[in-house]
Amino acid sequence: AIGLAATFDDDLIFGVATAISDEARAKHHEAVKMGNRAQYNGLSFWTPNINIFRDPRWGRGQETYGEDPFLTSRIGIAFVKGLQGNDPKYLKVSACAKHYVVHSGPEKVRHVFNALPDERDFRETYLPAFQALVEEANVESVMCAYNRTYDEPCCGSNFLIDSILRQEWHFKGHVVSDCWALDDIWLRHKVVETRVEAAAMAAKAGVNLNCGYIYQYLPRAVDTGLITEEIVNSALKPLLRTRYKLGLFDPDELNPYSKIPKEVVNCEKHKQLALEAASKSIVLLKNKGNVLPL
């Protein structure tokens, strides 16, 4: 991803993402024909990572588009549009803007860190790419991060998920937790004492989907009065909407993306596109002051 950002070419990135989503659709429909509905054959893609890469100690920096909020926004928009397609009814795949928000290491403390940026840095550095992907690219999903931001776990924050994401930006898609992030709420952040309370906190904040195991405690949270059944129902609705938009409840003949042939996978055109993207990612450094070689 950081190589794609180095191209500074959002048209190219749109083409790359289009190739990815074409192959994804072809693989998905072939898998379904074989009765294979295992993980990694689906249409929910947890990409792009639009975190701002400020700390080289974070092990996933190469998965971002770098340190610049504007470049990250432009590359991210192109990537999401290429993934999700342009059909007025159906999504080609569901893209996901992650990890929301103020998240990027250092690796060792990402599950316990409390991010406290000043408001200008928060608004001008960390939020712009997420806002752009929601408002300009209509990204279908947003993934909340492991860390706390302003003392609240990101996956339990009404401020982040409801006030900003849903009310301010009018996000209509679904929110998914980072994997095991809801475990962090009680085990590492220690803002609640039990798994049941962690499940209730995330559901009330607006997390629709849990990557992990904590949401198996939602029935107990309802039974003990921590949340209502209506909250569970409201969490489910955006997930069903995403599945409808992916065409998973409709006959294939209604969905234009079901007609993408399996021959697109690793086709010559896509190989040439991969070569072009790799070539354009190369950056020439000027050896000013004889800094190089390091």
Side-chain angles (χ1 to χ4, degrees):
I2 206 158
L4 292 176
T7 68
F8 289 83
D9 189 339
D10 50 0
D11 289 335
L12 174 67
I13 273 53
F14 176 81
V16 168
T18 298
I20 291 169
S21 54
D22 280 353
E23 295 202 11
R25 269 290 174 176
K27 289 180 178 181
H28 169 74
H29 291 289
E30 286 301 308
V32 170
K33 287 177 185 176
M34 296 185 288
N36 180 359
R37 294 186 179 272
Q39 191 176 12
Y40 306 123
N41 291 303
L43 297 170
S44 296
F45 275 36
W46 287 353
T47 185
N49 182 344
I50 53 170
N51 290 136
I52 300 303
F53 186 34
R54 279 185 162 178
D55 193 324
R57 294 171 295 176
W58 187 32
R60 297 175 72 174
Q62 81 288 344
E63 195 181 282
T64 74
Y65 298 133
E67 73 280 6
D68 185 85
F70 179 75
L71 178 63
T72 295
S73 300
R74 297 305 102 189
I75 298 294
I77 288 170
F79 197 78
V80 168
K81 287 184 174 180
L83 286 181
Q84 295 192 161
N86 59 2
D87 188 83
K89 182 177 181 180
Y90 293 107
L91 292 170
K92 202 190 312 185
V93 307
S94 167
C96 178
K98 66 182 190 183
H99 310 81
Y100 183 66
V101 64
V102 200
H103 176 78
S104 67
E107 193 77 13
K108 188 175 180 180
V109 298
R110 62 188 175 140
H111 291 274
V112 297
F113 181 67
N114 184 26
L116 298 169
D118 63 61
E119 185 173 2
R120 179 172 181 175
D121 202 22
F122 180 62
R123 289 282 177 177
E124 294 186 359
T125 305
Y126 294 104
L127 289 189
F130 286 96
Q131 183 174 4
L133 265 61
V134 169
E135 294 183 342
E136 298 180 52
N138 296 311
V139 70
E140 184 65 15
S141 179
V142 171
M143 180 183 288
C144 50
Y146 289 129
N147 54 283
R148 279 170 287 150
T149 297
Y150 300 128
D151 304 318
E152 291 184 310
C154 293
C155 291
S157 172
N158 284 290
F159 172 64
L160 295 178
I161 298 173
D162 186 56
S163 297
I164 295 179
L165 186 61
R166 296 206 182 275
Q167 302 302 322
E168 189 175 323
W169 299 343
H170 307 293
F171 176 67
K172 302 298 183 185
H174 69 268
V175 175
V176 60
S177 76
D178 204 344
C179 293
W180 312 106
L182 302 194
D183 217 32
D184 291 343
I185 290 175
W186 73 276
L187 184 61
R188 299 175 185 90
H189 297 307
K190 301 184 186 299
V191 297
V192 297
E193 294 183 355
T194 67
R195 295 173 175 88
V196 179
E197 291 173 300
M201 184 180 192
K204 285 192 287 188
V207 176
N208 305 99
L209 184 62
N210 171 213
C211 179
Y213 70 99
I214 290 293
Y215 268 9
Q216 69 179 327
Y217 293 98
L218 283 177
R220 195 181 303 177
V222 173
D223 291 341
T224 56
L226 289 174
I227 56 171
T228 63
E229 191 172 330
E230 286 71 27
I231 289 176
V232 178
N233 289 339
S234 66
L236 178 62
K237 286 178 183 178
L239 294 175
L240 291 173
R241 190 182 302 119
T242 298
R243 296 192 71 191
Y244 275 111
K245 290 167 76 173
L246 288 168
L248 298 178
F249 296 114
D250 291 343
D252 279 351
E253 56 265 23
L254 297 179
N255 189 335
Y257 300 126
S258 68
K259 301 174 180 63
I260 297 174
K262 63 182 179 182
E263 286 74 21
V264 303
V265 178
N266 201 32
C267 66
E268 187 59 33
K269 179 182 177 182
H270 289 180
K271 290 180 182 179
Q272 290 302 313
L273 181 62
L275 178 61
E276 180 186 359
S279 300
K280 289 185 175 180
S281 75
I282 295 169
V283 177
L284 181 66
L285 299 179
K286 186 175 182 180
N287 192 15
K288 189 175 182 180
N290 295 313
V291 172
L292 301 176
L294 296 175

